Amino acid sequence: MSFSITILGSSSAKPTVDRHPSAQIVNVHEQHYLVDAGEGVQQQLIRAGINPLKIREVFISHLHGDHVFGLFPLLSTLGLYGRKTTLRIHAPAPFGELLDVHLRYFDRELPYPVEWSETDTTKHALLMENRTLEVWSIPLRHRVPCAGFLFREKRPPLNVEKYQIERYGLSIAQITAAKRGEDVRLDTGEVIPNAELTYRPYEPRSYAYLSDTNFSARAANLCRGVDLMYHEATYAAAERRAAKERGHSTTLDAAKAALKADAGRLVIGHYSSRYKDEQVLVDEARTIFPETYAAEERTTFTIEKQR
Amino acid sequence: MSFSITILGSSSAKPTVDRHPSAQIVNVHEQHYLVDAGEGVQQQLIRAGINPLKIREVFISHLHGDHVFGLFPLLSTLGLYGRKTTLRIHAPAPFGELLDVHLRYFDRELPYPVEWSETDTTKHALLMENRTLEVWSIPLRHRVPCAGFLFREKRPPLNVEKYQIERYGLSIAQITAAKRGEDVRLDTGEVIPNAELTYRPYEPRSYAYLSDTNFSARAANLCRGVDLMYHEATYAAAERRAAKERGHSTTLDAAKAALKADAGRLVIGHYSSRYKDEQVLVDEARTIFPETYAAEERTTFTIEKQR
C-alpha cells in the first residue's frame, strides 16, 4: 500500500543547467498522479523509470509556464504510446482554452480522451476520490489563481485480529459483522465489543503540495497533521521582500507553514536559480522546522504506514 | 568570421533518456540563429554555454510538437532575462495563431517584440538577408507543410593583395577602385587587370538543414554544393516503408541527398528512439556518402574558411 512522492522538478521559472521546473509524481496504492508539469517532465519521468502511461490524473496548481509547459508535449507522447484510458486534468480556468488550442493544432486525433476538471482556487474542495484516496484543493496566495493539493488516504477498513478469530472461533458472518464495526454476539450469548476484535491496519497518511504561494496560515491549517508537506521556498530568508512581492515564500515561510500544520516532515523546492546549493536553504528552514529536507530530482520520499 | 552549427537536439518525437528533440544553433559571423525548438531547448542552450539572449532569429521547419514545443518556454525566459530586441520567428502558417495564444495566456507583457514571418513551404524563397548572409527556404516532403533552410554566406568583398599595393604604390583611390572590381590605371598609363590585384578572402560557405522529410531530389538540388548538410535519418535502411509512410528518411535517403547535392559533409540526426547507438546509422549512410557524421548533442560542427 504505497504512498510516495517522486520529485521530477525542483527549480523555479528561470532555467538552470541541472534542475527542471516543477513536477512530481504522487504514488498512492500504485496509482500515479502527476502534480504540476514543467517543461521537460516527460523526459524526467523516463529518467526516473516511471512509465508515463501510468499517470491516472494530473493536478495543475496554476497556469504559470514553469508549471504547465511540459504537459502538452506529454499529452502528445501519451498519444504516440497508444494510451486508451481517459486522462483527467485538474486545473484552474482558463486551462480548458489552452487544452482546446493544443488539441486543435497538435493532437486532433488523440487515441484517448482528455478531460479538464476546473479547480476553483478559492475553495477547499474535494477534487477527486476513489475507494482509498481523496484529493482536496488548498487555496494559495500567488500572483495568479493558484491552489495546492492535499492527498489524503481514507481510513482503511477495519481488520479483525487473527488471534481473536481463533480464540472465539468466529464464523464468516461474525467476522463480516465485526468488519462493519459491529459488536459480535457469541453462541454463548456473550457480546464482544468491536474494539476488542478489530484494528485499523494503519493510520491514514497524507501529503500536501503547496506551491506557488506566499505564506498562508489558512493553507497550513487546512493541512493540519499532514505527514509530509512540500512547500515552495523560492528564496532564502534574506529575500523576504522579493518573496512577498512575487507571491513566493522564503525558507522561513515554508518552515512556519509546516510548524503551523504540525506536519511530520517538510520538503522544500522551487529554488530560485541564484542558489547553486540547496543545503543553505534547508539549513535555514531547519532553524524553525528541524525535519526539513531538500527536494532533489529523481529522488522519492516515502510515507511509511504506521499502525 | 565564424560559421558553425551546434546541435542541441538529435531525437525524433518519442522522448528518450538522453536525447532531446530537434534544435540547433547556427552561428554565422557571431550572429546566432535557432533552427527548430523541441521541448527543453532553453536548458540545452544553457548547458551548451550559449546565452539565449544572443538568438537573433528563429527558423521553424514545421509545426510538429517535437520541433516547436520548446519555443514558448524560451520566449517567456527571454522576457525574464529582460530582452529588448525584436525576435523574428520564421514558421509556416498557422504559427501566428499559436503565438497569439501563447502571448495572451503566458506573456501579456513581454519586454520585447516578437514577430512572425510566415514561410511558404512550397517555395524556394529568400527568408532573411543581411550584409553577409542569406537564408533561403527549401521545400520538403513531410506529413504537414515543412521547409528546411539554406544558410548561405554572401560572396565576401574583394581584397587587394598587399604585395601589389606595395609593388605599384597604389593610392587609396586606386585601392578603392580595385575593391569595386575595376581595373586600375597607373600614372604610367599602364592598366593593371583587376584579377591580378584582387582576391576573395574566402569562398562563401553554406549549410542546409533538411528535416523532417522524405527523400527529395528537388531539395537536394536546391542545396547544390553545400559545405555541410544536416539531413534527418529517422530510420535505418531496413525501415524504408515506415520512413515513406511517415514522411521521414532512412540513412540511405539522407546519404543520397548529400550525394545529389554534392555536399561537403553530411550530418544525420532526428534518430528514432529505437536506435540506442547512432553509429549503426552513420555506418549505413557511409556506404553511399563516406563523409557522414552523427549529430551529437552539444557538439559543434565548424565550416572552415577556404581561400
PDB file of all heavy atoms in Angstrom, chain A residues 37-52:
ATOM      1  N   ALA A  37       3.529  20.272 -14.083  1.00  0.00           N
ATOM      2  CA  ALA A  37       4.184  19.677 -15.263  1.00  0.00           C
ATOM      3  C   ALA A  37       5.046  20.716 -15.970  1.00  0.00           C
ATOM      4  O   ALA A  37       4.699  21.193 -17.045  1.00  0.00           O
ATOM      5  CB  ALA A  37       3.125  19.110 -16.212  1.00  0.00           C
ATOM      6  N   GLY A  38       6.166  21.056 -15.366  1.00  0.00           N
ATOM      7  CA  GLY A  38       7.079  21.998 -16.008  1.00  0.00           C
ATOM      8  C   GLY A  38       7.714  21.395 -17.252  1.00  0.00           C
ATOM      9  O   GLY A  38       7.646  20.173 -17.474  1.00  0.00           O
ATOM     10  N   GLU A  39       8.331  22.262 -18.058  1.00  0.00           N
ATOM     11  CA  GLU A  39       8.950  21.812 -19.311  1.00  0.00           C
ATOM     12  C   GLU A  39       9.924  20.658 -19.042  1.00  0.00           C
ATOM     13  O   GLU A  39      10.728  20.727 -18.124  1.00  0.00           O
ATOM     14  CB  GLU A  39       9.687  22.974 -19.988  1.00  0.00           C
ATOM     15  CG  GLU A  39      10.229  22.588 -21.362  1.00  0.00           C
ATOM     16  CD  GLU A  39      11.132  23.659 -21.976  1.00  0.00           C
ATOM     17  OE1 GLU A  39      11.638  24.532 -21.252  1.00  0.00           O
ATOM     18  OE2 GLU A  39      11.342  23.577 -23.202  1.00  0.00           O
ATOM     19  N   GLY A  40       9.856  19.653 -19.876  1.00  0.00           N
ATOM     20  CA  GLY A  40      10.778  18.529 -19.742  1.00  0.00           C
ATOM     21  C   GLY A  40      10.296  17.406 -18.847  1.00  0.00           C
ATOM     22  O   GLY A  40      11.034  16.431 -18.636  1.00  0.00           O
ATOM     23  N   VAL A  41       9.054  17.502 -18.333  1.00  0.00           N
ATOM     24  CA  VAL A  41       8.597  16.492 -17.380  1.00  0.00           C
ATOM     25  C   VAL A  41       8.566  15.103 -18.018  1.00  0.00           C
ATOM     26  O   VAL A  41       8.862  14.101 -17.344  1.00  0.00           O
ATOM     27  CB  VAL A  41       7.223  16.860 -16.774  1.00  0.00           C
ATOM     28  CG1 VAL A  41       6.130  16.848 -17.829  1.00  0.00           C
ATOM     29  CG2 VAL A  41       6.864  15.917 -15.639  1.00  0.00           C
ATOM     30  N   GLN A  42       8.256  15.014 -19.301  1.00  0.00           N
ATOM     31  CA  GLN A  42       8.156  13.673 -19.865  1.00  0.00           C
ATOM     32  C   GLN A  42       9.503  12.972 -19.874  1.00  0.00           C
ATOM     33  O   GLN A  42       9.598  11.764 -19.598  1.00  0.00           O
ATOM     34  CB  GLN A  42       7.529  13.697 -21.269  1.00  0.00           C
ATOM     35  CG  GLN A  42       8.267  14.453 -22.335  1.00  0.00           C
ATOM     36  CD  GLN A  42       7.597  14.259 -23.705  1.00  0.00           C
ATOM     37  OE1 GLN A  42       6.831  13.328 -23.897  1.00  0.00           O
ATOM     38  NE2 GLN A  42       7.894  15.123 -24.651  1.00  0.00           N
ATOM     39  N   GLN A  43      10.553  13.738 -20.140  1.00  0.00           N
ATOM     40  CA  GLN A  43      11.867  13.117 -20.113  1.00  0.00           C
ATOM     41  C   GLN A  43      12.285  12.779 -18.678  1.00  0.00           C
ATOM     42  O   GLN A  43      12.921  11.759 -18.425  1.00  0.00           O
ATOM     43  CB  GLN A  43      12.897  14.031 -20.769  1.00  0.00           C
ATOM     44  CG  GLN A  43      14.228  13.343 -20.972  1.00  0.00           C
ATOM     45  CD  GLN A  43      15.220  14.170 -21.755  1.00  0.00           C
ATOM     46  OE1 GLN A  43      15.337  15.374 -21.552  1.00  0.00           O
ATOM     47  NE2 GLN A  43      15.964  13.529 -22.632  1.00  0.00           N
ATOM     48  N   GLN A  44      11.924  13.639 -17.748  1.00  0.00           N
ATOM     49  CA  GLN A  44      12.226  13.359 -16.342  1.00  0.00           C
ATOM     50  C   GLN A  44      11.515  12.081 -15.881  1.00  0.00           C
ATOM     51  O   GLN A  44      12.071  11.298 -15.108  1.00  0.00           O
ATOM     52  CB  GLN A  44      11.812  14.531 -15.459  1.00  0.00           C
ATOM     53  CG  GLN A  44      12.766  15.722 -15.521  1.00  0.00           C
ATOM     54  CD  GLN A  44      14.147  15.366 -14.983  1.00  0.00           C
ATOM     55  OE1 GLN A  44      15.006  14.838 -15.699  1.00  0.00           O
ATOM     56  NE2 GLN A  44      14.383  15.632 -13.724  1.00  0.00           N
ATOM     57  N   LEU A  45      10.289  11.860 -16.334  1.00  0.00           N
ATOM     58  CA  LEU A  45       9.574  10.629 -15.984  1.00  0.00           C
ATOM     59  C   LEU A  45      10.366   9.414 -16.453  1.00  0.00           C
ATOM     60  O   LEU A  45      10.582   8.466 -15.698  1.00  0.00           O
ATOM     61  CB  LEU A  45       8.191  10.617 -16.660  1.00  0.00           C
ATOM     62  CG  LEU A  45       7.102  11.463 -16.002  1.00  0.00           C
ATOM     63  CD1 LEU A  45       5.959  11.735 -16.969  1.00  0.00           C
ATOM     64  CD2 LEU A  45       6.576  10.778 -14.748  1.00  0.00           C
ATOM     65  N   ILE A  46      10.792   9.465 -17.691  1.00  0.00           N
ATOM     66  CA  ILE A  46      11.518   8.328 -18.255  1.00  0.00           C
ATOM     67  C   ILE A  46      12.824   8.114 -17.508  1.00  0.00           C
ATOM     68  O   ILE A  46      13.204   6.980 -17.190  1.00  0.00           O
ATOM     69  CB  ILE A  46      11.745   8.567 -19.758  1.00  0.00           C
ATOM     70  CG1 ILE A  46      10.412   8.467 -20.490  1.00  0.00           C
ATOM     71  CG2 ILE A  46      12.731   7.562 -20.326  1.00  0.00           C
ATOM     72  CD1 ILE A  46      10.475   8.903 -21.918  1.00  0.00           C
ATOM     73  N   ARG A  47      13.507   9.201 -17.206  1.00  0.00           N
ATOM     74  CA  ARG A  47      14.768   9.070 -16.470  1.00  0.00           C
ATOM     75  C   ARG A  47      14.539   8.497 -15.080  1.00  0.00           C
ATOM     76  O   ARG A  47      15.397   7.804 -14.542  1.00  0.00           O
ATOM     77  CB  ARG A  47      15.453  10.433 -16.334  1.00  0.00           C
ATOM     78  CG  ARG A  47      16.073  10.955 -17.608  1.00  0.00           C
ATOM     79  CD  ARG A  47      16.799  12.236 -17.328  1.00  0.00           C
ATOM     80  NE  ARG A  47      17.453  12.753 -18.520  1.00  0.00           N
ATOM     81  CZ  ARG A  47      17.445  14.033 -18.859  1.00  0.00           C
ATOM     82  NH1 ARG A  47      16.827  14.913 -18.103  1.00  0.00           N
ATOM     83  NH2 ARG A  47      18.062  14.423 -19.955  1.00  0.00           N
ATOM     84  N   ALA A  48      13.382   8.816 -14.509  1.00  0.00           N
ATOM     85  CA  ALA A  48      13.084   8.299 -13.163  1.00  0.00           C
ATOM     86  C   ALA A  48      12.530   6.884 -13.220  1.00  0.00           C
ATOM     87  O   ALA A  48      12.182   6.316 -12.183  1.00  0.00           O
ATOM     88  CB  ALA A  48      12.091   9.227 -12.462  1.00  0.00           C
ATOM     89  N   GLY A  49      12.437   6.325 -14.411  1.00  0.00           N
ATOM     90  CA  GLY A  49      11.944   4.956 -14.547  1.00  0.00           C
ATOM     91  C   GLY A  49      10.450   4.824 -14.325  1.00  0.00           C
ATOM     92  O   GLY A  49       9.956   3.754 -13.960  1.00  0.00           O
ATOM     93  N   ILE A  50       9.707   5.909 -14.559  1.00  0.00           N
ATOM     94  CA  ILE A  50       8.248   5.871 -14.375  1.00  0.00           C
ATOM     95  C   ILE A  50       7.597   5.889 -15.751  1.00  0.00           C
ATOM     96  O   ILE A  50       7.837   6.797 -16.549  1.00  0.00           O
ATOM     97  CB  ILE A  50       7.765   7.087 -13.562  1.00  0.00           C
ATOM     98  CG1 ILE A  50       8.383   7.042 -12.157  1.00  0.00           C
ATOM     99  CG2 ILE A  50       6.240   7.115 -13.476  1.00  0.00           C
ATOM    100  CD1 ILE A  50       8.178   8.309 -11.357  1.00  0.00           C
ATOM    101  N   ASN A  51       6.778   4.899 -16.036  1.00  0.00           N
ATOM    102  CA  ASN A  51       6.092   4.826 -17.317  1.00  0.00           C
ATOM    103  C   ASN A  51       5.013   5.911 -17.367  1.00  0.00           C
ATOM    104  O   ASN A  51       4.073   5.885 -16.561  1.00  0.00           O
ATOM    105  CB  ASN A  51       5.461   3.440 -17.466  1.00  0.00           C
ATOM    106  CG  ASN A  51       4.786   3.255 -18.809  1.00  0.00           C
ATOM    107  OD1 ASN A  51       4.566   4.227 -19.547  1.00  0.00           O
ATOM    108  ND2 ASN A  51       4.456   2.030 -19.137  1.00  0.00           N
ATOM    109  N   PRO A  52       5.116   6.843 -18.295  1.00  0.00           N
ATOM    110  CA  PRO A  52       4.124   7.920 -18.360  1.00  0.00           C
ATOM    111  C   PRO A  52       2.692   7.405 -18.525  1.00  0.00           C
ATOM    112  O   PRO A  52       1.748   8.081 -18.109  1.00  0.00           O
ATOM    113  CB  PRO A  52       4.561   8.730 -19.587  1.00  0.00           C
ATOM    114  CG  PRO A  52       6.013   8.447 -19.744  1.00  0.00           C
ATOM    115  CD  PRO A  52       6.201   7.037 -19.283  1.00  0.00           C
TER     116      PRO A  52
END
